[in-house]
Amino acid sequence: MSEENKIRIDFSEIWKRLLKNKFLFLKVWGVTIVLSCLWIFPKPRYYKCEVSIAPETSTNSGALGSLSNIASNFGFNLGDVTTTDAIYPQLYPELLKSTNFLVELFDIQIQTADGKIKTDYYTYLVKYQKQCFWDYPKIFLVSVIEMLTEKEDTPVAGKGGKRFDPFRLSKKTSSVLETMTDKISTTYSKKTDVVSLTVEDQDPLVCALMADSIKNKLQAYITDYRTKKARIDYEHYKNLTAQAKQNYELARQRYASFADSNEDLVLKSIQSKEDDLENDMQLKYNIYTAMNTRLEMAMAKVQEATPAFTTLSNATVPVKPAGPKRVLFIIAMLFCSTIGTVSYIFRRRIMSELSGTKK
């Protein structure tokens, strides 16, 4: 670039030009502050509560397991080469987004910090959420239109006495579900295998209660999944053991009754019958003992398959709100308005300098 085409900047001239337009800046700043306050202050404050857990995974020993552990230290994820689970920690965020899991959260009982509201989470989201004042006309119009054009939208009852049916959600329930999804977020760290659960809400106590309840439900869900096969085997051997015990008791009673009735008789046929009953009783006893051993092994497998969750950070009621950041928002708007005003003042010179540079 030649000396003639270089843009020359005279800071003293710029400063004089800015001072000359100081009243314009004051007007712009005043309007910006007023509009920013009207926008940000009506927005309700919200709180956040975070819970971190380190779940135990079912692993296979060997070279692949060691390789995966080494790779995780460098931020690489080799997938589930070391796990035998279909639901491993990497999938916990997706699990928390599933409709079946989220619908179960509707019935959690919550209470606000001031103690004025005690209800389930679904009712709380529907009736007790604070709104900005400019949202009320929209909410009123939508409710009137729905009242005139549609019949009442009631939740679809689920099977087995459940309150909601995740397979068939009503329009209202689906809308509440989307609201709840925005309030709950989950992240997984590949390096540390730590699952972090964050819940956002307008009330600090509700925020902490939901975070703790979701953590407990997640642990119960994973425990139920991991122990499902072992529990089925346990119930199977439990039924077989009960039946074997009943058969043994009947065989023992038949043998004792026959032996007492023919105690003084020495006929070969009676002795043979008594031996048969005794052998049958012993056989039933052996079967009962074997089933009882299997039952104890199945019980041990249930305990072995039960995962352990290490809670790194518990749910605590937040003291300070997480947002909205009102002061930072106003400062950011003032900065943007200042940049815009400066560009407006020097727009002609900037365009002329740019056009001169292009020549």
Side-chain angles (χ1 to χ4, degrees):
M1 181 183 295
S2 63
E3 294 293 335
E4 297 180 354
N5 292 333
K6 288 184 178 180
I7 299 177
R8 298 177 180 178
I9 301 177
D10 189 348
F11 290 100
S12 61
E13 182 182 351
I14 293 175
W15 179 248
K16 292 178 181 179
R17 187 79 173 270
L18 293 177
L19 289 178
K20 185 178 179 180
N21 293 274
K22 59 183 177 180
F23 291 105
L24 176 61
F25 280 102
L26 293 176
K27 291 179 182 179
V28 172
W29 289 341
V31 173
T32 301
I33 291 175
V34 172
L35 293 179
S36 299
C37 292
L38 290 176
W39 173 261
I40 196 65
F41 277 95
K43 288 184 175 295
R45 289 187 177 276
Y46 60 87
Y47 299 81
K48 286 186 178 182
C49 180
E50 183 176 347
V51 178
S52 300
I53 59 175
E56 178 190 51
T57 57
S58 176
T59 58
N60 294 323
S61 59
L64 288 178
S66 301
L67 179 61
S68 178
N69 292 332
I70 295 173
S72 64
N73 295 329
F74 294 94
F76 296 99
N77 180 23
L78 298 184
D80 58 339
V81 295
T82 63
T83 182
T84 58
D85 292 334
I87 302 179
Y88 41 93
Q90 291 91 326
L91 293 182
Y92 288 3
E94 299 300 324
L95 172 62
L96 288 175
K97 294 179 182 178
S98 65
T99 303
N100 290 336
F101 186 89
L102 292 175
V103 166
E104 295 182 0
L105 304 180
F106 283 152
D107 293 325
I108 295 177
Q109 296 297 312
I110 56 92
Q111 177 182 346
T112 55
D114 55 12
K116 295 181 179 179
I117 301 175
K118 295 181 181 180
T119 182
D120 59 85
Y121 193 52
Y122 179 84
T123 306
Y124 173 75
L125 292 178
V126 173
K127 297 183 178 180
Y128 300 105
Q129 290 293 288
K130 298 177 183 177
Q131 303 290 340
C132 298
F133 67 88
W134 56 74
D135 289 333
Y136 286 108
K138 176 183 176 182
I139 296 174
F140 176 76
L141 289 176
V142 171
S143 61
V144 171
I145 294 174
E146 290 179 350
M147 186 182 301
L148 295 176
T149 60
E150 300 177 3
K151 60 181 181 179
E152 185 179 359
D153 189 13
T154 57
V156 181
K159 299 179 180 179
K162 292 186 176 181
R163 185 178 174 186
F164 301 94
D165 184 7
F167 180 74
R168 185 184 177 188
L169 296 177
S170 66
K171 185 177 180 180
K172 182 178 181 180
T173 306
S174 180
S175 176
V176 176
L177 191 68
E178 292 178 0
T179 302
M180 185 171 62
T181 304
D182 295 335
K183 292 178 176 290
I184 301 172
S185 61
T186 311
T187 58
Y188 169 76
S189 174
K190 296 179 181 179
K191 294 183 179 180
T192 59
D193 282 339
V194 173
V195 179
S196 299
L197 171 67
T198 304
V199 177
E200 175 187 315
D201 197 83
Q202 297 175 359
D203 186 87
L205 182 57
V206 173
C207 180
L209 289 174
M210 287 304 300
D212 188 65
S213 299
I214 295 173
K215 181 200 72 171
N216 293 334
K217 280 191 172 292
L218 176 63
Q219 293 177 352
Y221 188 94
I222 299 302
T223 300
D224 180 73
Y225 160 74
R226 291 276 297 274
T227 61
K228 184 175 182 180
K229 177 62 168 59
R231 286 185 290 106
I232 292 176
D233 292 342
Y234 172 76
E235 291 297 329
H236 175 66
Y237 286 117
K238 185 178 179 180
N239 295 331
L240 291 180
T241 302
Q243 184 63 38
K245 183 178 180 181
Q246 182 179 1
N247 294 336
Y248 165 68
E249 292 290 344
L250 293 175
R252 185 174 61 83
Q253 292 175 5
R254 286 196 299 267
Y255 170 74
S257 177
F258 185 84
D260 291 343
S261 301
N262 301 277
E263 184 177 3
D264 297 331
L265 299 178
V266 294
L267 296 176
K268 294 294 184 181
S269 59
I270 295 178
Q271 185 65 37
S272 176
K273 179 65 173 178
E274 182 177 346
D275 292 341
D276 291 340
L277 291 175
E278 183 179 4
N279 292 335
D280 183 63
M281 179 188 66
Q282 186 63 40
L283 178 62
K284 294 295 193 297
Y285 176 76
N286 293 338
I287 295 176
Y288 168 65
T289 303
M291 290 299 102
N292 194 50
T293 302
R294 291 288 186 90
L295 179 64
E296 293 178 355
M297 293 175 61
M299 186 184 303
K301 286 185 177 181
V302 172
Q303 182 61 33
E304 181 183 355
T306 302
F309 293 88
T310 302
T311 302
L312 302 179
S313 61
N314 291 308
T316 56
V317 180
V319 178
K320 297 181 179 180
K325 305 293 185 180
R326 295 171 177 173
V327 176
L328 292 179
F329 177 80
I330 294 175
I331 293 175
M333 291 298 101
L334 286 174
F335 177 77
C336 293
S337 63
T338 301
I339 296 299
T341 305
V342 171
S343 301
Y344 173 78
I345 294 173
F346 293 97
R347 67 189 187 282
R348 293 183 179 178
R349 181 168 181 177
I350 293 174
M351 297 300 296
S352 62
E353 292 287 353
L354 292 176
S355 61
T357 304
K358 292 180 180 179
K359 291 181 180 180

